[in-house]
Amino acid sequence: MIRMTKLTDYGIVLLTHMAMEAPGSFHTAQDLATRSRIPVPTASKLLKALARAGLVISHRGRNGGYGLSRDADAISVAEIIAAIEGPIGLTECGTGTEGACDMESFCAARGRWAPINQAIERALQDVPLSAMRPAQPPPQERLVRLEAASGVAP
Amino acid sequence: MIRMTKLTDYGIVLLTHMAMEAPGSFHTAQDLATRSRIPVPTASKLLKALARAGLVISHRGRNGGYGLSRDADAISVAEIIAAIEGPIGLTECGTGTEGACDMESFCAARGRWAPINQAIERALQDVPLSAMRPAQPPPQERLVRLEAASGVAP
DNA sequence: GCTATCGGGACCTTTTCGGTCCAGATAGGC
DNA sequence: GCCTATCTGGACCGAAAAGGTCCCGATAGC
């Protein structure tokens, strides 16, 4: 199966929880971990990575914590994945990393991957963080609307 | 990075080599492995998986070997990946495997993945095996055409 | 100063990946 | 009818990566 690591999944869940709170509010790693049911050290590690990538802002010291750096609409799932896992792509080929594959000179599929990688990245860029959040105002079942709004469904 | 395993990559290279030969021709695992620069036992394992999935046909005994079960245009990259890695999807969520995630009951992103998974699968279904082969008649540069044909770009 | 919090590591354990090998079944050639 | 090349199915193993823990230093409210 083509997949993200579980860490990335957790990262998205963490950000989703932040997106459910008031914009501009801050929350400790402890708090976010508890609410997401993710072990605290793991959540902490993820939040560090997200802060390094500029997706969240961190405040140290007492009453410190993490908060989204932008509106949830302006953060794409592609960015989140890239922040935790690195460049998006199914293979090393075509992600810009040269010489990553020692079979490059005689690979039958050489150069064929880039368009596929780009198509997938584009699909993920079109999904904002706000589309992942359950959207409390209408209490349940926004599934259908999400599908229509995500821009990736036909 | 979102990724396939190297095994799957090898599988596609193997099939690409088959697609470069005359339709209906058969090749031993040994032969395909040598041409693809893949260790023979590994290639053999992959070909078994592809045969089980019905993408290639196997003949045992002397003068046996493997051949494509259909035209290269009728085999999608999505099928190849599914044959080697299982169902396509970024997460377990939304791939039909129920109960795979023990956080399901309180996951903030529950149910939000299915549309994304489907978008990616669709992108891969739109790329036929024939698009991966170097396409000897026009010697180089079909890249642009592939990009236009993938059908997932916004 | 005290203490709660983030920052950047090192570290360990488990799983999975990538790869090897072998005994058996099948089928063509002699 | 035997021999041999080939696929089939499985067990097996080492290495790498994922997943998770812990610690110490820096920072900033109180």
Side-chain angles (χ1 to χ4, degrees):
Chain A
M1 151 149 125
I2 302 199
R3 60 191 189 107
M4 301 183 316
T5 66
K6 213 186 285 183
L7 265 315
T8 307
D9 201 353
Y10 288 169
I12 292 179
V13 171
L14 283 170
L15 287 172
T16 303
H17 270 109
M18 284 200 233
M20 287 161 66
E21 301 300 321
S25 60
F26 276 74
H27 315 274
T28 69
Q30 171 93 43
D31 176 29
L32 290 167
T34 306
R35 262 192 292 160
S36 311
R37 311 291 214 283
I38 296 172
V40 179
T42 300
S44 177
K45 176 196 252 179
L46 285 168
L47 289 164
K48 287 176 210 172
L50 293 170
R52 234 173 291 138
L55 295 182
V56 303
I57 292 175
S58 66
H59 280 161
R60 294 211 244 188
R62 235 169 163 209
N63 298 345
Y66 293 96
L68 292 183
S69 67
R70 309 172 228 154
D71 194 83
D73 286 317
I75 297 177
S76 73
V77 169
E79 283 180 285
I80 304 171
I81 294 174
I84 300 178
E85 308 212 11
I88 290 178
L90 290 180
T91 66
E92 303 285 343
C93 318
T95 58
T97 321
E98 278 313 314
C101 176
D102 51 354
M103 308 170 63
E104 207 168 356
S105 52
F106 36 78
C107 173
R110 175 171 39 152
R112 306 282 129 185
W113 280 107
I116 300 176
N117 287 341
Q118 284 161 19
I120 290 177
E121 176 152 27
R122 217 172 292 121
L124 292 172
Q125 272 169 352
D126 285 345
V127 182
L129 175 59
S130 54
M132 301 300 288
R133 115 189 106 188
Q136 284 152 332
Q140 284 289 12
E141 304 313 323
R142 278 206 353 161
L143 258 176
V144 180
R145 211 182 306 170
L146 167 66
E147 205 153 349
S150 71
V152 294
Chain B
M1 156 146 118
I2 302 199
R3 60 190 189 108
M4 301 182 314
T5 66
K6 213 187 286 184
L7 265 315
T8 308
D9 200 355
Y10 288 169
I12 292 179
V13 171
L14 282 171
L15 286 173
T16 303
H17 270 109
M18 284 201 231
M20 289 161 65
E21 301 298 320
S25 59
F26 276 73
H27 315 274
T28 68
Q30 172 94 42
D31 176 29
L32 290 166
T34 306
R35 262 191 292 160
S36 310
R37 312 290 214 283
I38 295 173
V40 178
T42 299
S44 177
K45 176 197 252 181
L46 285 168
L47 289 164
K48 286 177 210 171
L50 294 170
R52 235 173 290 137
L55 295 182
V56 302
I57 292 175
S58 66
H59 281 161
R60 293 212 243 189
R62 220 142 186 236
N63 298 346
Y66 293 97
L68 293 182
S69 67
R70 309 172 229 152
D71 194 84
D73 286 316
I75 297 177
S76 73
V77 169
E79 283 179 287
I80 304 171
I81 294 173
I84 300 178
E85 308 213 10
I88 289 178
L90 290 180
T91 67
E92 305 284 345
C93 319
T95 58
T97 321
E98 278 313 315
C101 175
D102 50 355
M103 307 170 66
E104 206 168 358
S105 52
F106 35 79
C107 174
R110 174 172 40 153
R112 308 282 131 184
W113 279 109
I116 300 176
N117 286 341
Q118 283 161 20
I120 290 176
E121 175 151 27
R122 216 171 293 118
L124 293 172
Q125 273 169 352
D126 285 345
V127 182
L129 175 59
S130 54
M132 301 300 290
R133 112 189 109 189
Q136 284 149 335
Q140 284 292 10
E141 304 315 322
R142 278 203 352 161
L143 262 175
V144 180
R145 211 180 308 169
L146 169 62
E147 198 156 357
S150 74
V152 295

